[in-house]
Amino acid sequence: MLFLCLFSPFIALCQLTNEDYKETVVEFINTIKNKKQVLLDSMIRYPLSRQYPLPDIKEKTEMGQRYNEVFDEPLLQKILNSDPAKDWSDVGWRGIMLNNGELWIDYDGSLLAVNHQSAWETKKRHELIEADRNRLHPSLQKYVEPICILRTKKFLIRIDDLGNYNYRYASWPVNKTMADRPDLVISKGELIFEGSGGNHHYQFKKGRYTYECGIVIMGEDDSPPAYLAVTKGKKEILTQDADIIEK
Protein backbone atom coordinates (compact mmCIF):
# COMPACT_ATOMS: atom_id res chain seq x y z
CA MET A 1 0.00 0.00 0.00
CA LEU A 2 2.93 2.33 0.57
CA PHE A 3 3.69 1.66 -3.06
CA LEU A 4 0.27 2.99 -4.05
CA CYS A 5 -0.17 5.75 -1.47
CA LEU A 6 3.13 7.57 -1.67
CA PHE A 7 3.67 7.18 -5.36
CA SER A 8 0.18 7.51 -6.74
CA PRO A 9 0.03 8.22 -10.49
CA PHE A 10 -2.90 10.60 -9.98
CA ILE A 11 -0.80 13.69 -9.32
CA ALA A 12 -0.87 16.79 -11.51
CA LEU A 13 2.23 17.25 -13.63
CA CYS A 14 4.36 20.27 -12.74
CA GLN A 15 7.68 19.47 -14.51
CA LEU A 16 11.08 20.08 -12.96
CA THR A 17 11.47 23.25 -10.94
CA ASN A 18 15.22 23.09 -10.32
CA GLU A 19 18.14 22.66 -12.72
CA ASP A 20 19.83 20.29 -10.26
CA TYR A 21 16.85 17.95 -10.55
CA LYS A 22 17.37 17.82 -14.31
CA GLU A 23 20.96 16.67 -13.77
CA THR A 24 19.70 13.95 -11.41
CA VAL A 25 17.22 12.73 -14.04
CA VAL A 26 19.83 12.77 -16.81
CA GLU A 27 22.20 10.71 -14.66
CA PHE A 28 19.45 8.16 -14.02
CA ILE A 29 18.55 7.94 -17.71
CA ASN A 30 22.22 7.46 -18.62
CA THR A 31 22.55 4.67 -16.05
CA ILE A 32 19.71 2.83 -17.81
CA LYS A 33 21.03 3.72 -21.29
CA ASN A 34 24.52 2.43 -20.57
CA LYS A 35 23.16 -0.71 -18.87
CA LYS A 36 25.13 -0.03 -15.70
CA GLN A 37 23.46 -2.75 -13.67
CA VAL A 38 25.90 -2.49 -10.76
CA LEU A 39 25.38 1.27 -10.49
CA LEU A 40 21.61 0.89 -10.70
CA ASP A 41 21.72 -1.70 -7.90
CA SER A 42 23.45 0.83 -5.67
CA MET A 43 20.77 3.42 -6.47
CA ILE A 44 17.76 1.27 -5.51
CA ARG A 45 16.23 1.70 -2.07
CA TYR A 46 15.28 -1.79 -0.96
CA PRO A 47 12.85 -3.32 -0.63
CA LEU A 48 11.51 -2.35 -4.04
CA SER A 49 7.76 -2.81 -3.74
CA ARG A 50 5.79 -4.82 -6.26
CA GLN A 51 2.01 -4.98 -6.33
CA TYR A 52 0.74 -7.61 -3.90
CA PRO A 53 0.73 -10.59 -4.13
CA LEU A 54 3.91 -10.20 -6.20
CA PRO A 55 6.76 -10.43 -3.68
CA ASP A 56 8.83 -7.31 -3.04
CA ILE A 57 12.43 -7.30 -4.25
CA LYS A 58 14.42 -7.30 -1.04
CA GLU A 59 18.08 -6.99 -2.06
CA LYS A 60 20.59 -6.67 -4.92
CA THR A 61 20.95 -10.36 -5.76
CA GLU A 62 17.20 -10.73 -6.14
CA MET A 63 17.08 -7.56 -8.26
CA GLY A 64 19.62 -9.08 -10.60
CA GLN A 65 17.40 -12.13 -11.03
CA ARG A 66 14.21 -10.12 -11.56
CA TYR A 67 15.55 -7.08 -13.43
CA ASN A 68 13.88 -8.00 -16.73
CA GLU A 69 10.57 -8.63 -14.97
CA VAL A 70 10.51 -5.02 -13.78
CA PHE A 71 12.44 -3.17 -16.48
CA ASP A 72 10.81 -4.64 -19.55
CA GLU A 73 11.26 -3.14 -23.03
CA PRO A 74 8.22 -0.80 -22.86
CA LEU A 75 9.45 0.75 -19.60
CA LEU A 76 13.04 0.99 -20.83
CA GLN A 77 11.87 2.82 -23.93
CA LYS A 78 9.78 5.25 -21.88
CA ILE A 79 12.83 6.04 -19.76
CA LEU A 80 15.29 6.29 -22.63
CA ASN A 81 13.00 8.38 -24.83
CA SER A 82 11.90 10.68 -22.04
CA ASP A 83 12.65 14.41 -22.07
CA PRO A 84 13.92 15.50 -18.62
CA ALA A 85 12.39 18.93 -19.09
CA LYS A 86 8.94 17.71 -20.15
CA ASP A 87 8.35 14.13 -18.97
CA TRP A 88 9.74 14.33 -15.42
CA SER A 89 8.24 16.31 -12.54
CA ASP A 90 9.28 16.99 -8.95
CA VAL A 91 6.41 16.48 -6.50
CA GLY A 92 7.43 17.85 -3.10
CA TRP A 93 8.67 15.34 -0.54
CA ARG A 94 7.57 12.42 -2.72
CA GLY A 95 10.44 12.89 -5.17
CA ILE A 96 10.66 13.05 -8.96
CA MET A 97 8.28 11.08 -11.15
CA LEU A 98 8.32 9.95 -14.77
CA ASN A 99 5.13 10.78 -16.70
CA ASN A 100 2.15 10.21 -14.37
CA GLY A 101 4.10 8.24 -11.78
CA GLU A 102 5.23 5.12 -13.64
CA LEU A 103 8.60 5.45 -11.96
CA TRP A 104 9.90 7.56 -9.04
CA ILE A 105 13.41 8.64 -8.06
CA ASP A 106 14.54 10.68 -5.08
CA TYR A 107 16.38 13.99 -5.38
CA ASP A 108 19.70 12.20 -4.86
CA GLY A 109 18.95 9.85 -7.77
CA SER A 110 17.85 6.85 -5.69
CA LEU A 111 15.16 4.69 -7.26
CA LEU A 112 12.12 4.79 -4.98
CA ALA A 113 9.35 3.00 -6.85
CA VAL A 114 8.36 1.42 -10.15
CA ASN A 115 4.59 1.53 -10.65
CA HIS A 116 4.86 0.19 -14.19
CA GLN A 117 3.87 -3.48 -14.35
CA SER A 118 5.33 -5.62 -17.10
CA ALA A 119 3.30 -8.17 -19.04
CA TRP A 120 5.21 -10.92 -17.21
CA GLU A 121 4.36 -9.44 -13.81
CA THR A 122 0.71 -9.01 -14.77
CA LYS A 123 0.47 -12.67 -15.75
CA LYS A 124 2.36 -13.85 -12.67
CA ARG A 125 0.22 -11.72 -10.38
CA HIS A 126 -2.95 -13.26 -11.83
CA GLU A 127 -1.54 -16.74 -11.17
CA LEU A 128 -0.67 -15.83 -7.58
CA ILE A 129 -4.13 -14.41 -6.94
CA GLU A 130 -5.76 -17.60 -8.21
CA ALA A 131 -3.48 -19.72 -6.03
CA ASP A 132 -4.34 -17.51 -3.07
CA ARG A 133 -8.06 -17.81 -3.82
CA ASN A 134 -7.86 -21.61 -3.84
CA ARG A 135 -6.31 -21.77 -0.37
CA LEU A 136 -9.21 -19.87 1.20
CA HIS A 137 -12.39 -21.14 2.78
CA PRO A 138 -15.03 -21.34 -0.03
CA SER A 139 -17.08 -18.54 1.56
CA LEU A 140 -14.22 -16.09 0.91
CA GLN A 141 -13.13 -17.05 -2.57
CA LYS A 142 -15.08 -14.32 -4.35
CA TYR A 143 -13.02 -11.12 -4.43
CA VAL A 144 -11.24 -8.86 -6.93
CA GLU A 145 -7.97 -7.99 -5.18
CA PRO A 146 -6.27 -9.26 -2.03
CA ILE A 147 -5.17 -6.33 0.14
CA CYS A 148 -3.30 -7.64 3.18
CA ILE A 149 -3.08 -10.24 5.93
CA LEU A 150 -2.48 -9.14 9.53
CA ARG A 151 -1.74 -11.09 12.69
CA THR A 152 -2.28 -9.86 16.24
CA LYS A 153 -1.65 -11.88 19.39
CA LYS A 154 -5.21 -13.21 19.19
CA PHE A 155 -6.43 -12.87 15.61
CA LEU A 156 -5.56 -13.66 12.01
CA ILE A 157 -7.12 -10.96 9.81
CA ARG A 158 -7.55 -10.76 6.07
CA ILE A 159 -8.72 -7.76 4.04
CA ASP A 160 -9.86 -8.08 0.43
CA ASP A 161 -11.19 -5.65 -2.16
CA LEU A 162 -14.52 -6.90 -3.50
CA GLY A 163 -14.55 -4.22 -6.21
CA ASN A 164 -15.85 -0.67 -6.39
CA TYR A 165 -13.99 0.27 -3.20
CA ASN A 166 -15.91 -2.28 -1.18
CA TYR A 167 -13.52 -3.88 1.32
CA ARG A 168 -14.10 -7.09 3.26
CA TYR A 169 -12.80 -8.02 6.69
CA ALA A 170 -12.44 -11.65 7.73
CA SER A 171 -10.91 -12.90 10.97
CA TRP A 172 -10.00 -16.16 12.68
CA PRO A 173 -8.47 -17.12 16.02
CA VAL A 174 -4.72 -16.85 15.57
CA ASN A 175 -4.28 -20.63 15.71
CA LYS A 176 -6.61 -21.19 12.72
CA THR A 177 -5.83 -21.03 9.00
CA MET A 178 -7.59 -19.19 6.20
CA ALA A 179 -8.87 -22.51 4.91
CA ASP A 180 -11.07 -22.65 8.01
CA ARG A 181 -14.44 -20.92 8.16
CA PRO A 182 -13.84 -17.39 9.50
CA ASP A 183 -15.37 -16.38 12.82
CA LEU A 184 -16.31 -12.93 11.55
CA VAL A 185 -16.86 -11.46 8.07
CA ILE A 186 -17.80 -7.82 7.44
CA SER A 187 -18.13 -6.24 4.01
CA LYS A 188 -18.74 -2.66 2.84
CA GLY A 189 -15.56 -1.47 4.52
CA GLU A 190 -13.89 1.85 3.73
CA LEU A 191 -10.29 2.86 3.11
CA ILE A 192 -9.41 6.08 4.94
CA PHE A 193 -6.14 7.98 4.44
CA GLU A 194 -4.57 9.91 7.30
CA GLY A 195 -2.75 12.94 5.92
CA SER A 196 -0.03 12.80 3.27
CA GLY A 197 2.44 10.51 5.03
CA GLY A 198 0.92 7.28 3.84
CA ASN A 199 -0.74 6.10 7.07
CA HIS A 200 -4.20 4.71 6.41
CA HIS A 201 -6.79 2.40 7.88
CA TYR A 202 -9.66 0.18 6.82
CA GLN A 203 -12.89 0.68 8.73
CA PHE A 204 -15.67 -1.88 9.03
CA LYS A 205 -18.98 -1.52 10.86
CA LYS A 206 -21.24 -4.23 12.27
CA GLY A 207 -24.11 -2.97 14.38
CA ARG A 208 -22.69 -0.82 17.16
CA TYR A 209 -19.20 -2.24 16.63
CA THR A 210 -16.50 -0.62 14.51
CA TYR A 211 -13.37 -2.55 13.49
CA GLU A 212 -10.37 -0.50 12.39
CA CYS A 213 -7.29 -2.06 10.81
CA GLY A 214 -4.52 0.53 10.55
CA ILE A 215 -1.36 0.41 8.46
CA VAL A 216 1.46 2.54 9.87
CA ILE A 217 3.80 3.90 7.21
CA MET A 218 5.20 6.85 9.13
CA GLY A 219 5.24 6.54 12.91
CA GLU A 220 7.51 6.64 15.95
CA ASP A 221 10.42 4.25 16.43
CA ASP A 222 8.27 2.00 18.60
CA SER A 223 5.16 2.15 16.39
CA PRO A 224 3.82 -1.22 15.25
CA PRO A 225 3.56 -1.87 11.50
CA ALA A 226 -0.21 -2.25 11.89
CA TYR A 227 -2.94 -2.44 14.54
CA LEU A 228 -6.50 -3.60 15.22
CA ALA A 229 -8.87 -1.38 17.19
CA VAL A 230 -12.47 -2.30 18.04
CA THR A 231 -14.99 0.15 19.45
CA LYS A 232 -18.56 -0.27 20.67
CA GLY A 233 -20.35 2.99 20.19
CA LYS A 234 -17.71 5.52 21.25
CA LYS A 235 -15.94 3.20 23.68
CA GLU A 236 -12.78 1.38 22.61
CA ILE A 237 -13.03 -2.19 23.82
CA LEU A 238 -9.96 -3.74 22.20
CA THR A 239 -6.70 -2.62 20.64
CA GLN A 240 -3.85 -4.88 19.55
CA ASP A 241 -0.64 -4.33 17.63
CA ALA A 242 -0.43 -6.34 14.43
CA ASP A 243 2.26 -7.71 12.16
CA ILE A 244 1.75 -7.47 8.42
CA ILE A 245 2.09 -11.04 7.17
CA GLU A 246 1.37 -10.22 3.54
CA LYS A 247 0.53 -7.04 1.64
Side-chain angles (χ1 to χ4, degrees):
M1 182 54 67
L2 171 63
F3 179 73
L4 298 176
C5 293
L6 298 192
F7 308 111
S8 170
F10 302 108
I11 299 174
L13 293 176
C14 58
Q15 301 184 348
L16 297 177
T17 61
N18 187 305
E19 192 65 25
D20 291 340
Y21 301 163
K22 182 177 179 180
E23 293 179 8
T24 299
V25 169
V26 169
E27 182 178 350
F28 179 81
I29 293 173
N30 286 336
T31 299
I32 299 296
K33 180 179 180 180
N34 297 322
K35 300 180 180 180
K36 296 180 178 179
Q37 179 75 46
V38 175
L39 180 57
L40 179 62
D41 284 343
S42 69
M43 295 164 62
I44 298 173
R45 289 192 188 173
Y46 295 100
L48 183 66
S49 296
R50 309 312 300 143
Q51 190 177 6
Y52 177 67
L54 291 171
D56 293 344
I57 299 175
K58 298 180 178 62
E59 41 81 26
K60 294 179 181 180
T61 301
E62 189 177 357
M63 185 68 223
Q65 297 168 346
R66 296 175 59 185
Y67 178 84
N68 292 331
E69 298 173 11
V70 178
F71 289 91
D72 64 348
E73 193 61 26
L75 178 58
L76 291 175
Q77 289 306 311
K78 287 178 182 179
I79 297 170
L80 297 177
N81 296 328
S82 65
D83 182 338
K86 296 180 180 179
D87 300 321
W88 295 78
S89 308
D90 54 282
V91 191
W93 61 268
R94 295 176 176 84
I96 302 171
M97 69 177 179
L98 171 62
N99 296 328
N100 287 320
E102 287 187 273
L103 180 146
W104 289 78
I105 61 175
D106 206 347
Y107 296 103
D108 62 1
S110 302
L111 178 63
L112 298 175
V114 179
N115 286 332
H116 171 87
Q117 190 171 99
S118 67
W120 188 94
E121 284 189 314
T122 299
K123 180 176 181 293
K124 183 63 176 179
R125 183 168 183 268
H126 175 76
E127 293 172 353
L128 291 173
I129 289 175
E130 291 309 305
D132 173 73
R133 196 188 311 276
N134 290 333
R135 69 174 174 160
L136 290 176
H137 187 271
S139 65
L140 298 176
Q141 291 183 356
K142 187 176 181 179
Y143 65 86
V144 176
E145 299 273 350
I147 299 297
C148 64
I149 299 172
L150 309 178
R151 180 183 290 134
T152 75
K153 63 182 180 181
K154 290 186 177 181
F155 303 105
L156 177 65
I157 300 165
R158 178 187 176 96
I159 299 174
D160 293 303
D161 181 359
L162 304 184
N164 297 319
Y165 306 102
N166 174 11
Y167 298 94
R168 181 181 65 197
Y169 171 103
S171 70
W172 299 258
V174 72
N175 60 341
K176 296 282 188 175
T177 74
M178 290 184 292
D180 297 313
R181 180 178 292 277
D183 282 7
L184 179 63
V185 178
I186 311 172
S187 59
K188 298 183 180 179
E190 296 181 89
L191 169 59
I192 300 172
F193 291 99
E194 305 164 13
S196 61
N199 291 356
H200 56 282
H201 65 268
Y202 297 88
Q203 188 179 89
F204 305 87
K205 295 184 178 182
K206 186 176 180 63
R208 296 184 60 196
Y209 294 89
T210 299
Y211 295 75
E212 180 177 305
C213 294
I215 306 297
V216 180
I217 304 301
M218 298 182 67
E220 304 298 330
D221 290 341
D222 59 350
S223 296
Y227 65 86
L228 167 68
V230 183
T231 58
K232 182 178 182 181
K234 295 183 179 181
K235 181 181 179 181
E236 186 171 88
I237 60 174
L238 181 146
T239 180
Q240 293 182 1
D241 292 349
D243 292 322
I244 301 174
I245 306 304
E246 295 181 18
K247 73 173 180 62

